[in-house]
Amino acid sequence: MTSVTEASTLSAAEAMRARRKARLAHSLNRAAATLQIVGLGWLSPLLRMAAGDSPRQQGRELWQQMGVPLTALMLFLAAWAWLAPQVNTSLGAIPGPAQVWEQVGNLHADHKAERAKEAAFYDRQAKRNAELLAKDPGAEVKTRPYAGKPTYLDQIVTSLKTVFTGFLLGALVAVPLGVACGLSRTVNAAMNPLIQIFKPVSPLAWLPLVTMVVSATVSSDNPTFEKSFLTSAITVTLCSLWPTLINTAVGVSSIDKDLMNVGKVLQLSGPTMVRRLVLPSALPYIFTGLRLSLGVGWMVLIAAEMLAQNPGLGKFVWDEFQNGSSSSLARIMVAVFTIGLIGFLLDRVMLAFQAAVSHTGTR
């Protein structure tokens, strides 16, 4: 009798351990999916190893996800450091990794110095206004904006504001049009020639037209938005909306017809059917288009800022090219890596947003 009771107790304990292990595995799978989305998938093998999984298997996975990329990166840096001094240009030899990293520190120091100048400017202005009011309480005082040059970090912020504005405007146009094209063959037939004509147009062709239209329609007397900002944002919109429009149309047109028939049987109104059936079903296609559009918009923006000399990273690159100083090449390469890193992060943001609003097997 005792042996039967002990066996039953052992079986219950084993079942409890199995349930705990299954719950842990499920939690690790969810964490792994999230980490993969944000670009930290290499943490998953470490978590599994800490949870007791096979160290050899997880070690191989860690090498695949972290060791191989790091090795490739180190080989790239080594080749860059070896080849760069051998290439001479009109501005000197191509800078190596050390010189580029040095300019990262210099640009950050320039930003801090400029912010200190700005703070001192406003402190002097506040002190002067306080003295004027002390002498004459009815005196009219003014707070003038700081007119210092934008720093590298300011240029980054400006470019991000511009690209998100243009991207959002493009999405607001592209998604409804894509839904209409996917639901109606007539609308699709009407829009298709326009899409095929305007989709390949370069931002360098749009930019002069946009500049003239903005200059003719936007007043220069304290405008809500600067003309340069509107010019760049609208150019981004015109070039980036097409991937979202096309992918949305494809996603909507590929929805299961039985699902649409169910909506008709239930006598759902048009807006309700779009909101409840069409958009959720086409969401993966829509987000694929949005990710492509954001990447296109980021590339277009840099070109537009360089050509139109509008504030942003593109203007920074062009100014350094025109400057021709000994540090210009290194600063341009800092901008190149910054542009690439921001493009990667923007794609990850869209991927994380897609995972947050759509249903997956792990959620």
Side-chain angles (χ1 to χ4, degrees), residues 259-268 273 277:
L259 187 63
M260 300 299 293
N261 291 333
V262 169
K264 293 177 182 179
V265 170
L266 296 176
Q267 297 183 347
L268 298 178
M273 185 175 293
L277 299 180

Side-chain angles (χ1 to χ4, degrees), residues 309-332:
Q309 287 294 281
N310 293 336
L313 276 173
K315 186 176 187 302
F316 173 85
V317 172
W318 186 255
D319 288 346
E320 289 297 333
F321 174 72
Q322 294 293 325
N323 184 22
S325 67
S326 58
S327 62
S328 291
L329 277 178
R331 294 192 171 207
I332 291 173

Side-chain angles (χ1 to χ4, degrees), residues 191-200 246:
M191 289 297 301
N192 188 58
L194 300 177
I195 295 172
Q196 299 305 323
I197 291 172
F198 291 120
K199 180 169 65 72
I246 293 170

Side-chain angles (χ1 to χ4, degrees), residues 58-191:
Q58 298 307 318
R60 286 197 299 267
E61 187 66 23
L62 182 63
W63 165 254
Q64 188 69 28
Q65 294 200 27
M66 188 178 181
V68 173
L70 284 179
T71 302
L73 181 61
M74 296 303 294
L75 290 174
F76 167 75
L77 292 176
W80 176 16
W82 177 63
L83 292 172
Q86 304 180 37
V87 181
N88 289 304
T89 69
S90 59
L91 299 180
I94 296 293
Q99 291 83 2
V100 172
W101 182 251
E102 180 184 359
Q103 289 306 315
V104 172
N106 291 340
L107 289 170
H108 184 256
D110 291 345
H111 175 77
K112 292 175 65 176
E114 193 66 26
R115 292 289 77 81
K117 290 181 183 178
E118 181 181 9
F121 171 81
Y122 283 117
D123 287 342
R124 290 194 303 269
Q125 192 169 204
K127 184 178 179 181
R128 185 171 59 251
N129 290 341
E131 291 174 352
L132 289 174
L133 291 173
K135 294 178 181 178
D136 181 9
E140 182 179 352
V141 296
K142 295 182 179 179
T143 302
R144 302 182 184 279
Y146 181 67
K149 65 177 182 179
T151 66
Y152 183 66
L153 296 182
D154 295 333
Q155 304 276 39
I156 292 175
V157 172
T158 299
S159 291
L160 287 174
K161 289 180 180 177
T162 307
V163 76
F164 274 115
T165 301
F167 167 72
L168 290 176
L169 289 174
L172 290 175
V173 173
V175 172
L177 277 179
V179 171
C181 290
L183 291 176
S184 171
R185 295 180 60 187
T186 302
V187 175
N188 185 61
M191 289 297 301

Side-chain angles (χ1 to χ4, degrees), residues 1-7:
M1 187 69 170
T2 303
S3 60
V4 174
T5 304
E6 291 176 352

Side-chain angles (χ1 to χ4, degrees), residues 174-239:
V175 172
L177 277 179
V179 171
C181 290
L183 291 176
S184 171
R185 295 180 60 187
T186 302
V187 175
N188 185 61
M191 289 297 301
N192 188 58
L194 300 177
I195 295 172
Q196 299 305 323
I197 291 172
F198 291 120
K199 180 169 65 72
V201 176
S202 166
L204 305 183
W206 282 119
L207 192 57
L209 296 174
V210 174
T211 302
M212 288 188 289
V213 171
V214 170
S215 299
T217 56
V218 177
S219 172
S220 60
D221 299 330
N222 296 323
T224 305
F225 298 102
E226 295 291 336
K227 290 183 179 180
S228 59
F229 173 80
L230 288 176
T231 300
S232 297
I234 293 174
T235 304
V236 169
T237 298
L238 291 173
C239 296

Side-chain angles (χ1 to χ4, degrees), residues 272-289:
T272 301
M273 185 175 293
V274 169
R275 188 176 68 254
R276 299 281 185 172
L277 299 180
V278 174
L279 289 179
S281 300
L283 210 55
Y285 286 89
I286 294 174
F287 269 101
T288 299

